Amino acid sequence: MTITANQVSELRARTGAGMMDCKRALSETNGDIDAAIEHLRKTGIAKAEKKSDREASEGLVHSYIHPGGRVGVLIQVSCETDFVAKTDDFLNLVKDLAMQVAAASPRSVRREEIPESIVAKEREVFLAQMADQKKPAAVMEKILQGKVDKFFAETVLLEQPFIKDDSKTVDIVVKEISGKLGENIVVRRFARFALGEGA
């Protein structure tokens, strides 16, 4: 099938991917724009996975104050070069992540940062809630694991549904931008401040 310049231009406009990547994606999906977008997303995530062990020592510390001044966030997001740190894609990602922290109030960036004592306490609560259920132990363990995973999806930044598109997790959004920019991007840390909390 012949891929036209107009198709490549449209795909580039919708994804921001390079011309050759767009042409390749369209060729592999027989000119189907939507399938090509999905293909680019998947390959972008795959590229991001390969870059995840590269040093990310540049980036930004960004502050966000929610309208009304009752919630504020400081967030540090790293990338590999100062050049990428100044791109609109990276800046917009950092701003979106700060808004995510303000809106969704995560406890940590990744699940390993939540103290084991808190996870154990949550498991105890879930077990107590399920005490009257008469199901086989293997089924109970699956239900328990599902509840623990849901707890992480609510409290861990990278596992939360993205506020601008809840069909993706924050981790997937970060990996997509990482694949698009060709650099490892790491969410380092954040602090969230809210009036009435911790007073």
Side-chain angles (χ1 to χ4, degrees):
M1 174 177 188
T2 306
I3 305 300
T4 67
N6 283 345
Q7 287 174 298
V8 174
S9 295
E10 184 185 345
L11 186 57
R12 282 195 76 189
R14 288 177 64 181
T15 63
M19 192 183 318
M20 292 311 295
D21 287 336
C22 288
K23 194 168 183 183
R24 202 173 299 119
L26 284 163
S27 294
E28 291 186 26
T29 58
N30 294 320
D32 182 329
I33 295 269
D34 291 329
I37 290 170
E38 189 62 26
H39 175 78
L40 284 169
R41 281 184 58 205
K42 286 176 182 168
T43 56
I45 290 169
K47 284 181 190 171
E49 296 281 4
K50 287 179 192 166
K51 292 173 180 54
S52 65
D53 59 351
R54 296 199 328 216
E55 174 101 22
S57 56
E58 293 295 332
L60 282 175
V61 173
H62 177 73
S63 63
Y64 169 77
I65 307 295
H66 192 67
R70 299 187 63 82
V71 177
V73 172
L74 269 178
I75 190 163
Q76 179 187 357
V77 183
S78 298
C79 57
E80 294 174 46
T81 63
D82 188 43
F83 172 78
V84 161
K86 291 176 179 163
T87 62
D88 286 343
D89 285 321
F90 186 79
L91 291 167
N92 290 334
L93 173 67
V94 175
K95 287 175 187 172
D96 285 346
L97 292 175
M99 287 185 358
Q100 175 87 27
V101 171
S105 192
R107 293 186 189 192
S108 68
V109 176
R110 29 194 84 69
R111 68 169 61 188
E112 299 78 35
E113 295 165 7
I114 293 185
E116 189 51 49
S117 58
I118 290 175
V119 178
K121 199 169 197 73
E122 290 297 321
R123 286 177 73 89
E124 272 178 41
V125 170
F126 297 145
L127 280 169
Q129 290 170 350
M130 300 180 340
D132 59 345
Q133 292 188 28
K134 309 262 188 285
K135 291 184 176 144
V139 173
M140 293 293 276
E141 185 54 41
K142 274 190 177 165
I143 294 170
L144 179 61
Q145 191 54 51
K147 286 179 176 285
V148 170
D149 287 342
K150 186 171 186 286
F151 164 75
F152 284 131
E154 290 168 356
T155 58
V156 174
L157 175 62
L158 292 176
E159 298 186 34
Q160 288 180 332
F162 184 49
I163 55 170
K164 288 189 168 180
D165 179 358
D166 63 10
S167 71
K168 304 175 187 178
T169 63
V170 171
D171 189 45
I172 286 172
V173 171
V174 171
K175 284 177 178 165
E176 285 178 352
I177 298 298
S178 175
K180 182 177 176 182
L181 295 175
E183 287 199 5
N184 185 21
I185 294 175
V186 181
V187 183
R188 297 282 182 202
R189 56 190 162 169
F190 64 81
R192 183 180 183 276
F193 306 90
L195 289 178
E197 289 180 11

